[in-house]
Amino acid sequence: MTDTARRQQARSDRRDNQRVFVFSVTLAIVVMLGALLYFYAADKRGEGPSHEAPPPAAQVQGGAQTSPATAPAAPPK
């Protein structure tokens, strides 16, 4: 191999290495941005209204349920 051919090969190798490096960095940035967007979307999806609607059973009964703590005591025997 001649000296000129070696220089051209070295230049070509450097250019190829630079292209691979730029491609790798670009790919890493795209993956990081994708992960950040995914976590942002997942976080937004998890946020719901601050109040919850009563369960359907409470709506059917009119919502007038008495808790055991406020229920009238049984008459003494």
Side-chain angles (χ1 to χ4, degrees):
M1 197 179 239
T2 64
D3 192 38
T4 308
R6 285 184 193 153
R7 277 193 226 140
Q8 287 176 348
Q9 184 64 40
R11 232 178 299 151
S12 177
D13 288 346
R14 270 189 243 117
R15 197 175 312 125
D16 288 345
N17 289 343
Q18 186 178 8
R19 286 179 182 159
V20 169
F21 177 75
V22 169
F23 175 77
S24 300
V25 169
T26 304
L27 185 64
I29 290 171
V30 168
V31 168
M32 290 291 287
L33 287 175
L36 288 173
L37 287 173
Y38 171 77
F39 286 124
Y40 177 76
D43 184 45
K44 281 296 180 186
R45 189 176 13 158
E47 293 178 3
S50 59
H51 58 85
E52 293 184 10
Q59 291 175 352
V60 170
Q61 296 173 1
Q65 295 178 339
T66 57
S67 64
T70 60
K77 291 186 178 184

